[in-house]
Amino acid sequence: ALFSNLPKTSSLERISQERTEPGRTEQLYQSRDYYYLISPQTEPVDIGFEEFRTGIKDDGLTSREPIGSFFLSTGHATHPVYFHPIRQTESRFRYLGRQKMEQRAGRSAHVLAFAQMPTAAGMVRHLDTGDQSILILLQGIAWVDPDSFQIYRMHTELLVPRIDAGLDYQTTHIRFTAVKFKDIPESLYLPDEVVVSMKYKGFLFRNRHRYSQYRLFSVESQDGPKVIARP
């Protein structure tokens, strides 16, 4: 339902970024606001979304800042794609049972683990550092609503560290929220808060994304910049 029914949407995104240099304890910090657009893939054979981001003040910033300063993480809305029927043959799955969730008034959730299989993974992610693109495979856990079967929490980490490329670890924790759009009968679960942590060549990075004000996107109604850059 998520990948079939989601229309083109926009939201406000606030990203808080932290960086700690090797051998130091003090952190560099910045916080910026963006317009964020999620758009269905234009090709029918593709599964997922295209995601675009631009600064509120249209400062032209893209995700390809030098890794030595800060980095911008993306692709959070597409994380549930590992459970799409077309992608299920690319991973191994294990049902872990049910767990009560305090933030959901004590309701229980199905808990599922997955791990991509290197020989079968057709969809892979990359970390672009400016001078190299590091291919990464993931494993993780998803918490699934027992009534709608939509995913409302995910935690992912590297299947194996990429020590050869200087990437010791990368973890992503996503909390989804139910969003109701006009003319769509069921609520769809979209990112509410995302925390990405990473250690690359001794640098520690931490990004916290917060999303708000989801709405249907149209050029006529969009108050933000007219040019939206791919993240």
Side-chain angles (χ1 to χ4, degrees), residues 122-139:
M123 189 193 77
V124 296
R125 296 180 183 269
H126 295 81
L127 172 66
D128 293 319
T129 67
D131 58 357
Q132 64 175 327
S133 181
I134 305 172
L135 183 149
I136 56 178
L137 297 174
L138 299 180
Q139 60 183 340

mmCIF file of all heavy atoms in Angstrom, residues 122-139:
data_model
loop_
_atom_site.group_PDB
_atom_site.id
_atom_site.type_symbol
_atom_site.label_atom_id
_atom_site.label_comp_id
_atom_site.label_asym_id
_atom_site.label_seq_id
_atom_site.Cartn_x
_atom_site.Cartn_y
_atom_site.Cartn_z
ATOM 1 N N GLY A 122 19.643 -6.983 -5.185
ATOM 2 C CA GLY A 122 19.541 -6.176 -6.395
ATOM 3 C C GLY A 122 19.511 -4.696 -6.093
ATOM 4 O O GLY A 122 19.770 -3.866 -6.958
ATOM 5 N N MET A 123 19.145 -4.339 -4.848
ATOM 6 C CA MET A 123 19.109 -2.943 -4.445
ATOM 7 C C MET A 123 20.160 -2.721 -3.364
ATOM 8 O O MET A 123 20.120 -3.360 -2.312
ATOM 9 C CB MET A 123 17.732 -2.558 -3.901
ATOM 10 C CG MET A 123 17.583 -1.056 -3.682
ATOM 11 S SD MET A 123 16.142 -0.616 -2.697
ATOM 12 C CE MET A 123 16.731 -1.033 -1.065
ATOM 13 N N VAL A 124 21.113 -1.856 -3.640
ATOM 14 C CA VAL A 124 22.170 -1.568 -2.678
ATOM 15 C C VAL A 124 22.235 -0.063 -2.465
ATOM 16 O O VAL A 124 21.805 0.733 -3.312
ATOM 17 C CB VAL A 124 23.546 -2.092 -3.163
ATOM 18 C CG1 VAL A 124 23.523 -3.604 -3.270
ATOM 19 C CG2 VAL A 124 23.920 -1.472 -4.505
ATOM 20 N N ARG A 125 22.743 0.315 -1.328
ATOM 21 C CA ARG A 125 22.920 1.725 -1.008
ATOM 22 C C ARG A 125 24.397 2.093 -1.092
ATOM 23 O O ARG A 125 25.268 1.228 -1.022
ATOM 24 C CB ARG A 125 22.352 2.028 0.384
ATOM 25 C CG ARG A 125 20.847 1.818 0.451
ATOM 26 C CD ARG A 125 20.281 2.121 1.823
ATOM 27 N NE ARG A 125 18.856 1.838 1.875
ATOM 28 C CZ ARG A 125 17.900 2.723 1.605
ATOM 29 N NH1 ARG A 125 18.224 3.961 1.285
ATOM 30 N NH2 ARG A 125 16.624 2.378 1.668
ATOM 31 N N HIS A 126 24.648 3.398 -1.213
ATOM 32 C CA HIS A 126 26.015 3.881 -1.331
ATOM 33 C C HIS A 126 26.224 5.050 -0.382
ATOM 34 O O HIS A 126 25.305 5.837 -0.128
ATOM 35 C CB HIS A 126 26.327 4.329 -2.762
ATOM 36 C CG HIS A 126 26.304 3.231 -3.767
ATOM 37 N ND1 HIS A 126 25.127 2.753 -4.320
ATOM 38 C CD2 HIS A 126 27.315 2.498 -4.324
ATOM 39 C CE1 HIS A 126 25.410 1.789 -5.175
ATOM 40 N NE2 HIS A 126 26.723 1.618 -5.203
ATOM 41 N N LEU A 127 27.424 5.149 0.133
ATOM 42 C CA LEU A 127 27.859 6.323 0.870
ATOM 43 C C LEU A 127 28.818 7.078 -0.021
ATOM 44 O O LEU A 127 29.901 6.591 -0.358
ATOM 45 C CB LEU A 127 28.559 5.915 2.173
ATOM 46 C CG LEU A 127 29.220 7.070 2.939
ATOM 47 C CD1 LEU A 127 28.166 8.041 3.466
ATOM 48 C CD2 LEU A 127 30.074 6.545 4.086
ATOM 49 N N ASP A 128 28.409 8.284 -0.446
ATOM 50 C CA ASP A 128 29.244 9.120 -1.304
ATOM 51 C C ASP A 128 30.028 10.088 -0.433
ATOM 52 O O ASP A 128 29.446 10.913 0.279
ATOM 53 C CB ASP A 128 28.388 9.889 -2.310
ATOM 54 C CG ASP A 128 27.734 8.973 -3.322
ATOM 55 O OD1 ASP A 128 28.418 8.039 -3.786
ATOM 56 O OD2 ASP A 128 26.544 9.187 -3.640
ATOM 57 N N THR A 129 31.357 10.004 -0.482
ATOM 58 C CA THR A 129 32.225 10.827 0.359
ATOM 59 C C THR A 129 32.851 11.983 -0.388
ATOM 60 O O THR A 129 33.598 12.762 0.183
ATOM 61 C CB THR A 129 33.342 9.963 0.967
ATOM 62 O OG1 THR A 129 34.219 9.520 -0.084
ATOM 63 C CG2 THR A 129 32.772 8.762 1.698
ATOM 64 N N GLY A 130 32.593 12.091 -1.660
ATOM 65 C CA GLY A 130 33.209 13.125 -2.466
ATOM 66 C C GLY A 130 34.327 12.580 -3.330
ATOM 67 O O GLY A 130 34.474 12.973 -4.484
ATOM 68 N N ASP A 131 35.117 11.649 -2.765
ATOM 69 C CA ASP A 131 36.200 11.056 -3.556
ATOM 70 C C ASP A 131 36.001 9.562 -3.783
ATOM 71 O O ASP A 131 36.779 8.932 -4.488
ATOM 72 C CB ASP A 131 37.554 11.296 -2.886
ATOM 73 C CG ASP A 131 37.611 10.742 -1.467
ATOM 74 O OD1 ASP A 131 36.582 10.219 -0.988
ATOM 75 O OD2 ASP A 131 38.684 10.834 -0.847
ATOM 76 N N GLN A 132 34.962 8.981 -3.188
ATOM 77 C CA GLN A 132 34.656 7.576 -3.442
ATOM 78 C C GLN A 132 33.190 7.304 -3.113
ATOM 79 O O GLN A 132 32.558 8.050 -2.363
ATOM 80 C CB GLN A 132 35.555 6.638 -2.629
ATOM 81 C CG GLN A 132 35.379 6.728 -1.129
ATOM 82 C CD GLN A 132 36.202 5.701 -0.369
ATOM 83 O OE1 GLN A 132 36.428 4.590 -0.853
ATOM 84 N NE2 GLN A 132 36.664 6.062 0.828
ATOM 85 N N SER A 133 32.675 6.238 -3.700
ATOM 86 C CA SER A 133 31.310 5.794 -3.425
ATOM 87 C C SER A 133 31.395 4.389 -2.828
ATOM 88 O O SER A 133 31.844 3.460 -3.496
ATOM 89 C CB SER A 133 30.471 5.783 -4.711
ATOM 90 O OG SER A 133 29.150 5.372 -4.453
ATOM 91 N N ILE A 134 30.978 4.273 -1.580
ATOM 92 C CA ILE A 134 31.132 3.024 -0.840
ATOM 93 C C ILE A 134 29.827 2.240 -0.895
ATOM 94 O O ILE A 134 28.782 2.712 -0.439
ATOM 95 C CB ILE A 134 31.521 3.292 0.624
ATOM 96 C CG1 ILE A 134 32.782 4.155 0.696
ATOM 97 C CG2 ILE A 134 31.728 1.988 1.376
ATOM 98 C CD1 ILE A 134 33.124 4.624 2.096
ATOM 99 N N LEU A 135 29.867 1.060 -1.474
ATOM 100 C CA LEU A 135 28.692 0.195 -1.543
ATOM 101 C C LEU A 135 28.465 -0.441 -0.178
ATOM 102 O O LEU A 135 29.399 -0.961 0.439
ATOM 103 C CB LEU A 135 28.886 -0.869 -2.614
ATOM 104 C CG LEU A 135 27.729 -1.831 -2.890
ATOM 105 C CD1 LEU A 135 27.750 -2.262 -4.350
ATOM 106 C CD2 LEU A 135 27.813 -3.064 -1.986
ATOM 107 N N ILE A 136 27.224 -0.415 0.311
ATOM 108 C CA ILE A 136 26.908 -1.005 1.610
ATOM 109 C C ILE A 136 25.658 -1.878 1.500
ATOM 110 O O ILE A 136 24.719 -1.567 0.765
ATOM 111 C CB ILE A 136 26.695 0.070 2.700
ATOM 112 C CG1 ILE A 136 25.600 1.073 2.298
ATOM 113 C CG2 ILE A 136 27.991 0.797 2.996
ATOM 114 C CD1 ILE A 136 25.318 2.114 3.361
ATOM 115 N N LEU A 137 25.681 -2.997 2.216
ATOM 116 C CA LEU A 137 24.525 -3.866 2.382
ATOM 117 C C LEU A 137 24.068 -3.775 3.828
ATOM 118 O O LEU A 137 24.873 -3.520 4.734
ATOM 119 C CB LEU A 137 24.880 -5.309 2.021
ATOM 120 C CG LEU A 137 25.286 -5.550 0.560
ATOM 121 C CD1 LEU A 137 25.744 -6.992 0.371
ATOM 122 C CD2 LEU A 137 24.142 -5.223 -0.384
ATOM 123 N N LEU A 138 22.784 -4.007 4.063
ATOM 124 C CA LEU A 138 22.199 -3.753 5.367
ATOM 125 C C LEU A 138 21.550 -4.987 5.968
ATOM 126 O O LEU A 138 21.160 -5.922 5.274
ATOM 127 C CB LEU A 138 21.151 -2.644 5.266
ATOM 128 C CG LEU A 138 21.613 -1.267 4.793
ATOM 129 C CD1 LEU A 138 20.439 -0.312 4.759
ATOM 130 C CD2 LEU A 138 22.729 -0.729 5.672
ATOM 131 N N GLN A 139 21.435 -4.952 7.285
ATOM 132 C CA GLN A 139 20.585 -5.859 8.048
ATOM 133 C C GLN A 139 19.841 -5.005 9.067
ATOM 134 O O GLN A 139 20.248 -3.879 9.353
ATOM 135 C CB GLN A 139 21.417 -6.928 8.748
ATOM 136 C CG GLN A 139 22.437 -6.376 9.728
ATOM 137 C CD GLN A 139 23.288 -7.472 10.334
ATOM 138 O OE1 GLN A 139 22.923 -8.640 10.321
ATOM 139 N NE2 GLN A 139 24.435 -7.088 10.886
#
